[in-house]
Amino acid sequence: MHLLHQRGPLHDLPDTPEAYDAVLADVVEQALARLTPEGSLEHPDCTDDIGDTSLGVTSLLALAWQRSKDPRLPEAVHRSLAFHLDQRVYTEDNPGYPNLRIRNSGFPYARYVLAPGAHPIGDWPSTAWALLQAVNILELSDGLVAEDQRARLLDVAQGYWRWLTEATFFNPQEAGNQAIGCVVGGLMLAAHLPSGGEEVRARALELYRDKIRAHRVYDRGALLPPEHGGAYDNNYGPISLSFLAQAHRVSGEEMFAEDGSALARYIDARLTNGGFDNGGPRYSEQHSGFESVLGLRYFGARVGADIGRYRGDTRWGRHAVKADGGVDGHFAWMLVWQIQDDSVWHRKPSGVPARHQLRAGTVSVAFDSKMTPALVEAAGTYYLPAAVNRQHGFGPVLDGFLFTRPMGEVRVRDLQADGLTAKLVTKPVVGRDHVLRSVRSLYVTDGTSLWTTVAVERFDGEPYLLAGLPYAADDEGRVARTASAAGVVSAGELRLTHPAAEGPDHFDARSELTQQEAAFVLAADPRGYGNPDEGWRHLVSSTALEAGPVVDAPDDLHVFAVRYGDSAPLAVSVAWGEDGLVIRTDAFTAVLGGLDAAAEPELRISR
């Protein structure tokens, strides 16, 4: 079973002028065939997220006309723009809308669902999206739209801005992508206003500084725009990156470049080499497509990282579509902007070691804020943190207790030598006996296989290493579910276990339930509104790789050794030497030394 939304790397989509002209030509033919007598360009199956969609297709027709001067397009633009202005601009309050600050303001807004009172909560983002479609048309309207119609559109766009920033609470869904999108709308609108433009620009920058930037969330060493109550979401995070790219393009303000670069480095660190990732407060696996291209390309080039490897939903690789493949104007501004942008993909991995990432060749490990692996990739297979007794992660387990949560500072040492890339993570950890132990986890890769060695002061009992949940694997350009760990071996006993209990809080990798579906079942709110990350944290147990300790370890230590990506037998010897703990495999020798002058653990490694 393939994962539904994680398809191809976005940087594999052709982005030459000729490729984009072909995309626009296809949109033109679909739009001209769809245009109703009233001027609507909405997809016939569109019911929600509808308030900006016809206007979005109109903006694509305007861009196509600017590039091709197709004589069929001016009339289509005129008619479809008139439809939006006459039929899709609302000025009476939507019954039940809960986020008004001013009643009966008379400011125009767009509806998420057209029927009065039907799911009005979506009107704020729909209005932000309609504002963005409108300012794009204003920018593309020279020689195309009559002055009287352009003046009406400018008046509506200004009204959208006032509704978003005066009549309602700003960013009522606490969604960073929506909030930054609104700011971009203000910045672009300001350039078209004959008077008052500087005030709108200043207000947009103020909103970004005070309502978004000042409330960023700290995760994995980075400050990020909060997304639906969390730090990062796989669908919306890269969309926020695209909005930051456009904000920097149109304003030149350095804070957008700084914040976008920080988010880009964060994405690079959490993203596997193969582009797979999961997790988020709104969607765990529902990745965006064309909406992410601008930000990934723009900031990938700025920070020198190949973040275009991000696996997007390539069904939306060019523009939004409905189930039949027909164009939908939702988010159309992103296609306009990425066509206008002249940045190019950076396709080589960053050469700078990142604290929360280990990556070389086809191997990668993404670490969470506590420096526990959040995702392991080797030989095209992806391993999630396993769950035992309501605890999640990779680490030693004794009597149902997982020794992975740090009680103090986590030390990290990165090293590259002899074609090997290594990371040593040292954590002070306290167990149920209140004894402070040092857990040293060494990760070494030659770009093909990953060796993980974990050493901890010896326990009284029979511990094992929780070594991951096999979840997904590359499959002919797609990502498929898996429950196999055929490419994993251990120097001790290795077993793949599955939950003995049944129920939503026990995840069996052999089932067809995806991680996102399981997480939403456990979330407090309905799917699409609940927090799947929070739901997943309620997981009691899961399929798990469990590795027993190395037999000939020093008497004072329990040592575990696992290799991912190679099924050949693993031989490991561990002994104390003059300079520290010596770990020997058939591929390398590592020495875990004492503390240097800065109290940092020393590490040496060689072939």
Side-chain angles (χ1 to χ4, degrees):
M1 185 185 78
H2 288 114
L3 297 181
L4 184 61
H5 298 283
Q6 301 222 15
R7 294 174 180 250
L10 290 177
H11 65 197
D12 287 350
L13 293 168
D15 60 352
T16 63
E18 294 78 13
Y20 282 134
D21 283 337
V23 171
L24 291 174
D26 175 58
V27 170
V28 165
E29 297 307 320
Q30 288 192 54
L32 293 178
R34 179 187 298 171
L35 187 65
T36 68
E38 296 81 12
S40 173
L41 289 172
E42 292 164 356
H43 191 285
D45 294 340
C46 191
T47 56
D48 55 18
D49 262 329
I50 192 172
D52 70 301
T53 61
S54 183
L55 195 62
V57 178
T58 302
S59 74
L60 295 177
L61 298 184
L63 179 60
W65 184 82
Q66 291 288 353
R67 294 168 71 91
S68 69
K69 295 300 187 287
D70 185 329
R72 300 174 296 172
L73 294 181
E75 175 64 17
V77 169
H78 170 75
R79 288 173 55 195
S80 60
L81 183 53
F83 167 79
H84 180 84
L85 294 172
D86 295 338
Q87 303 293 326
R88 293 296 179 259
V89 177
Y90 296 85
T91 55
E92 295 183 358
D93 293 351
N94 199 353
Y97 184 71
N99 299 315
L100 291 176
R101 299 176 62 206
I102 302 173
R103 292 184 59 206
N104 303 316
S105 68
F107 296 146
Y109 67 94
R111 285 186 177 173
Y112 177 76
V113 176
L114 299 180
H119 203 78
I121 195 71
D123 289 355
W124 201 89
S126 289
T127 303
W129 306 156
L131 170 61
L132 291 170
Q133 314 284 23
V135 293
N136 271 349
I137 294 173
L138 290 169
E139 182 177 293
L140 297 165
S141 63
D142 186 28
L144 178 62
V145 175
E147 281 304 313
D148 60 337
Q149 198 177 39
R150 188 183 186 282
R152 285 186 64 197
L153 179 62
L154 179 59
D155 184 62
V156 167
Q158 191 169 10
Y160 284 155
W161 172 253
R162 296 194 65 187
W163 188 86
L164 290 162
T165 60
E166 297 176 31
T168 72
F169 290 96
F170 183 77
N171 189 23
Q173 295 184 24
E174 297 182 349
N177 77 98
Q178 297 174 10
I180 305 171
C182 178
V183 166
V184 171
L187 293 171
M188 295 183 70
L189 173 66
H192 297 285
L193 294 174
S195 62
E198 281 303 313
E199 289 84 352
V200 170
R201 175 187 167 92
R203 176 62 173 151
L205 295 176
E206 177 188 41
L207 286 169
Y208 183 76
R209 283 191 298 264
D210 296 347
K211 298 293 187 179
I212 304 171
R213 199 177 204 216
H215 297 278
R216 287 176 297 169
V217 179
Y218 191 75
D219 185 53
R220 304 190 194 189
L223 284 170
L224 310 172
E227 189 54 65
H228 286 283
Y232 181 80
D233 183 274
N234 274 325
N235 187 39
Y236 294 114
I239 295 175
S240 285
L241 190 67
S242 288
F243 281 133
L244 288 168
Q246 182 67 3
H248 186 245
R249 289 181 69 235
V250 300
S251 74
E253 291 287 336
E254 187 61 23
M255 64 180 173
F256 296 120
E258 293 173 357
D259 295 354
S261 296
L263 178 54
R265 292 188 184 98
Y266 171 88
I267 291 174
D268 183 40
R270 70 173 288 144
L271 199 59
T272 58
N273 176 75
F276 171 80
D277 191 15
N278 80 305
R282 186 70 181 271
Y283 294 108
S284 291
E285 294 175 4
Q286 186 166 322
H287 281 37
S288 48
F290 77 101
E291 314 100 294
S292 304
V293 167
L294 174 66
L296 295 170
R297 190 174 65 194
Y298 188 85
F299 282 109
R302 288 187 67 90
V303 304
D306 58 336
I307 54 177
R309 68 187 188 275
Y310 175 94
R311 283 186 183 267
D313 193 334
T314 50
R315 294 171 300 178
W316 280 39
R318 298 305 193 180
H319 46 68
V321 297
K322 289 300 183 186
D324 64 358
V327 63
D328 179 351
H330 189 48
F331 269 55
W333 64 85
M334 286 294 193
L335 179 57
V336 173
W337 298 342
Q338 66 171 273
I339 292 175
Q340 293 173 332
D341 176 52
D342 59 3
S343 60
V344 296
W345 288 111
H346 182 95
R347 296 183 179 275
K348 295 181 179 179
S350 171
V352 180
R355 178 180 174 90
H356 297 277
Q357 178 195 61
L358 175 73
R359 181 184 175 202
T362 58
V363 171
S364 58
V365 184
F367 296 87
D368 65 16
S369 288
K370 304 298 186 183
M371 289 306 298
T372 298
L375 196 52
V376 171
E377 172 194 21
T381 299
Y382 304 97
Y383 303 86
L384 302 179
V388 57
N389 198 24
R390 301 185 186 276
Q391 303 158 96
H392 300 198
F394 291 73
V397 176
L398 178 67
D399 297 332
F401 186 87
L402 175 60
F403 289 80
T404 190
R405 293 168 298 280
M407 182 65 71
E409 189 67 23
V410 179
R411 307 290 183 145
V412 178
R413 173 78 74 170
D414 286 287
L415 185 64
Q416 291 180 323
D418 291 345
L420 300 169
T421 303
K423 187 185 293 285
L424 175 61
V425 177
T426 305
K427 292 184 184 182
V429 175
V430 173
R432 290 195 177 106
D433 57 4
H434 292 221
V435 173
L436 184 68
R437 290 176 170 86
S438 176
V439 177
R440 287 177 288 179
S441 302
L442 175 65
Y443 306 88
V444 180
T445 180
D446 59 0
T448 301
S449 301
L450 172 70
W451 289 263
T452 300
T453 308
V454 178
V456 61
E457 287 86 347
R458 183 167 287 270
F459 298 105
D460 292 328
E462 297 181 1
Y464 66 88
L465 182 74
L466 194 64
L469 155 65
Y471 177 70
D474 293 333
D475 181 42
E476 297 182 352
R478 293 283 301 277
V479 179
R481 282 291 312 282
T482 188
S484 171
V488 182
V489 293
S490 170
E493 179 189 2
L494 182 68
R495 54 190 177 267
L496 179 64
T497 65
H498 303 286
E502 296 182 355
D505 49 359
H506 302 278
F507 185 79
D508 192 325
R510 297 170 297 182
S511 73
E512 292 191 355
L513 200 67
T514 66
Q515 185 272 345
Q516 177 174 291
E517 290 168 334
F520 270 128
V521 169
L522 296 170
D525 297 305
R527 181 171 181 174
Y529 304 96
N531 184 335
D533 274 3
E534 185 178 85
W536 188 252
R537 283 193 285 271
H538 294 302
L539 198 68
V540 174
S541 66
S542 73
T543 292
L545 280 165
E546 300 176 356
V550 175
V551 175
D552 296 325
D555 292 341
D556 58 339
L557 295 177
H558 270 119
V559 180
F560 309 88
V562 175
R563 187 181 63 219
Y564 304 81
D566 185 352
S567 57
L570 174 62
V572 175
S573 68
V574 184
W576 287 110
E578 291 183 2
D579 298 322
L581 188 66
V582 181
I583 301 169
R584 288 187 173 89
T585 74
D586 56 359
F588 64 87
T589 297
V591 179
L592 281 55
L595 303 180
D596 63 15
E600 295 287 346
E602 295 179 332
L603 172 65
R604 295 201 305 276
I605 192 165
S606 61
R607 288 280 190 178

